[in-house]
Amino acid sequence: MNSNKPHILVTNDDGIRAPGLLALKDACAEIADVTVLAPSHNWSASGHVKTMHKPLRVDRVTLADGTEALSTTGAPSDAVALALLGVVERDIDFVVSGINRGANLGHDVTYSGTVTAAMEAAISNVPAMAVSLNTREQADFEPAARFAASLAEQTLERGLPDGILLNVNVPHLPADAIKGVCVTRMGLRIYRDELLKRVDPRGKPYYWIGGPEPTGIEDEGTDIWAVANGYISVTPIHLDLTAHDLLETLADWKLGMP
Ligand code: MN
């Protein structure tokens, strides 16, 4: 698999058996050599993980289409770290994570294993993107996969600045019903989490964080607005979380040791 094509690492957080991973791998294989290294089980909403207190295993597996892949006991971000640190011998030019079953909009990016896998690549200055489809149902991932591969191709040509990743969300529509592509900013999610308290067989309470799916504020120009209106959303995200607007204000506080 050493051609002069670029080399893409495909990973996800829904696990190595997820259909969205297979669709993404197939589409990326049209434009690049692809290595798949993904978690052995579902890590959705696992956030950005670095496993430090137990060893990580990597196993060779065969995907549903008969192709070879690697699976790990680690989290999505561990999978990317493992690959970049040498478990995958060939240098990786681009990391694509997904296609997630379920959108990752607004503050979802902080929970998302799909997005944090791409963040892990950005930390190592490897260009990356996360791709999510806005449905929790059985889905046709092909239109989203086709778009992801075309964006990957263009990004490989143009490059991305260090520390930047792309967060892509695709509406769950037939390809010809998708209205186009919007470059967006992160919108505001509205979480409707509810505390569910239950009692175990020994009389001790336990909890689930449950509740309905989050909604969001459909401000024009945001990822939430774009997907709700039938557009593919592409949000550039940087890892610099500094609130630059507040630097001067905070400096005026004249902070010092009491
Ligand atoms: Mn997921």
Side-chain angles (χ1 to χ4, degrees):
M1 200 188 60
N2 272 300
S3 63
N4 48 17
K5 284 184 181 173
H7 184 207
I8 292 179
L9 175 74
V10 170
T11 191
N12 74 349
D13 83 350
D14 291 342
I16 191 86
R17 299 293 167 204
L21 181 80
L22 206 56
L24 185 59
K25 189 260 314 176
D26 281 347
C28 289
E30 302 276 326
I31 60 147
D33 294 329
V34 175
T35 298
V36 175
L37 199 174
S40 56
H41 67 267
N42 192 325
W43 282 77
S44 294
S46 63
H48 203 155
V49 173
K50 177 170 278 185
T51 298
M52 298 177 72
H53 304 289
K54 60 181 181 191
L56 299 170
R57 306 285 178 183
V58 177
D59 292 306
R60 286 198 172 278
V61 296
T62 304
L63 299 178
D65 65 356
T67 58
E68 292 262 300
L70 298 167
S71 89
T72 177
T73 52
S77 39
D78 289 324
V80 172
L82 288 167
L84 296 180
L85 289 171
V87 165
V88 175
E89 279 177 25
R90 185 173 158 196
D91 281 352
I92 291 163
D93 301 304
F94 196 69
V95 174
V96 190
S97 177
I99 296 167
N100 191 59
R101 193 192 295 273
N104 280 300
L105 302 165
H107 292 161
D108 292 347
V109 301
T110 62
Y111 295 109
S112 168
T114 308
V115 179
T116 51
M119 284 180 179
E120 183 66 24
I123 284 176
S124 298
N125 293 331
V126 174
M129 70 182 185
V131 187
S132 305
L133 186 63
N134 187 31
T135 179
R136 300 275 177 203
E137 309 299 318
Q138 292 294 328
D140 177 10
F141 289 95
E142 197 277 332
R146 188 153 28 107
F147 174 74
S150 75
L151 179 57
E153 191 170 33
Q154 189 164 165
T155 310
L156 279 161
E157 272 170 34
R158 294 173 185 262
L160 277 178
D162 284 351
I164 304 279
L165 57 136
L166 300 178
N167 185 33
V168 178
N169 282 279
V170 179
H172 186 218
L173 296 169
D176 57 6
I178 293 174
K179 283 194 206 151
V181 182
C182 288
V183 175
T184 59
R185 64 183 191 276
M186 278 169 58
L188 268 184
R189 268 296 210 195
I190 298 169
Y191 295 101
R192 299 183 290 171
D193 293 347
E194 291 168 7
L195 190 64
L196 303 179
K197 183 180 178 183
R198 293 180 185 163
V199 178
D200 76 14
R202 286 156 296 281
K204 210 176 163 196
Y206 67 95
Y207 302 91
W208 285 101
I209 298 172
E213 285 281 311
T215 60
I217 297 180
E218 287 185 28
D219 255 350
E220 194 165 342
T222 64
D223 51 1
I224 291 167
W225 176 89
V227 170
N229 287 279
Y231 295 93
I232 294 173
S233 165
V234 179
T235 311
I237 293 179
H238 53 147
L239 296 177
D240 177 2
L241 297 179
T242 310
H244 289 275
D245 293 351
L246 212 64
L247 286 174
E248 264 185 55
T249 307
L250 213 52
D252 282 344
W253 287 16
K254 311 290 182 217
L255 300 173
M257 274 299 291

